[in-house]
Amino acid sequence: QKEVEQNSGPLSVPEGAIASLNCTYSDRVSQSFFWYRQYSGKSPELIMSIYSNGDKEDGRFTAQLNKASQYVSLLIRDSQPSDSATYLCAVINTGGFKTIFGAGTRLFVKA
Amino acid sequence: DTEVTQTPKHLVMGMTNKKSLKCEQHMGHRAMYWYKQKAKKPPELMFVYSYEKLSINESVPSRFSPECPNSSLLNLHLHALQPEDSALYLCASSQDVSSYEQYFGPGTRLTVT
């Protein structure tokens, strides 16, 4: 089992719709979770961090964390073509020194 | 300011060359990282520096040699690389190694011929 798993996609949504990106992790005691956006040929850009169970909202983005189910998700409301990118889920491992990345989900937002 | 800078942006080197990648941050972060990213793959951790000391070396071949001259600078010295080492090399920094968000630089696109 991979430490951080994401559906590779591509996930295709129409402009204005909600995009839902999902991630599961294997280390039950992980405490820190992040979502990065990466455009083709560019470096990852941090868009959300979440540390507690529940929802965290920032603009059009909402991160959701369920530690009991070892599940973290990212919702993008009112999706725009400019949101088309690869979204990387990242988890800091128990020792706290390593960030483990999922393989990423490619999102396409159709105009 | 969450800026991490990296130079050069692009580098082409032969297998017998010696070159260095540079990374700089002025956010007062005490942890700095080197990652390697191949096309359509996630970043792979290479090295972690915490308070200017090497904390993690992910079994990286010795042809890659990291150096942290001070808390703002991180170098990656390259020697006798192989074509399969061609990749995007990313530097990142965070407030500390534990639990904090990492901010990435723009990367250096390395091609080994």
Side-chain angles (χ1 to χ4, degrees), chain B residues 9-28:
Chain B
K9 290 184 179 177
H10 301 276
L11 178 62
V12 179
M13 60 185 291
M15 289 189 284
T16 59
N17 292 160
K18 286 185 181 181
K19 296 287 185 182
S20 296
L21 309 184
K22 297 186 183 303
C23 174
E24 189 167 7
Q25 56 89 13
H26 293 290
M27 296 177 278

Side-chain angles (χ1 to χ4, degrees), chain A residues 31-32 34 36 38 41-46 48-49 51 56 88 92 95-104 106, chain B residues 33 35 37 40-45 48 50 55-56 58 88 90 97-107 109:
Chain A
Q31 297 294 321
S32 306
F34 309 96
Y36 289 85
Q38 187 170 25
K42 302 294 186 182
S43 63
E45 174 192 8
L46 179 70
M48 290 288 284
S49 60
Y51 303 95
K56 179 182 177 182
L88 298 163
I92 294 186
F97 284 84
K98 284 183 61 173
T99 298
I100 312 297
F101 285 87
R106 294 181 66 195
Chain B
Y33 311 78
Y35 288 88
Q37 187 175 27
K40 300 190 187 305
K41 298 290 187 182
E44 294 177 48
L45 183 66
V48 179
S50 175
S55 297
I56 292 180
E58 287 288 286
L88 180 67
L90 296 162
V97 287
S98 181
S99 303
Y100 292 97
E101 299 96 337
Q102 291 182 27
Y103 296 92
F104 285 86
R109 177 73 60 187

Side-chain angles (χ1 to χ4, degrees), chain A residues 27-102:
Chain A
D27 185 346
R28 181 168 290 278
V29 296
S30 293
Q31 297 294 321
S32 306
F33 308 87
F34 309 96
W35 284 99
Y36 289 85
R37 177 176 63 197
Q38 187 170 25
Y39 293 111
S40 181
K42 302 294 186 182
S43 63
E45 174 192 8
L46 179 70
I47 53 173
M48 290 288 284
S49 60
I50 187 166
Y51 303 95
S52 304
N53 277 330
D55 295 359
K56 179 182 177 182
E57 186 175 320
D58 184 1
R60 296 187 296 113
F61 299 99
T62 299
Q64 299 174 318
L65 175 60
N66 183 326
K67 291 184 179 180
S69 300
Q70 295 174 234
Y71 177 92
V72 58
S73 66
L74 179 71
L75 300 177
I76 306 175
R77 289 182 300 280
D78 189 24
S79 295
Q80 302 297 309
S82 59
D83 294 326
S84 299
T86 295
Y87 288 81
L88 298 163
C89 173
V91 177
I92 294 186
N93 72 345
T94 305
F97 284 84
K98 284 183 61 173
T99 298
I100 312 297
F101 285 87

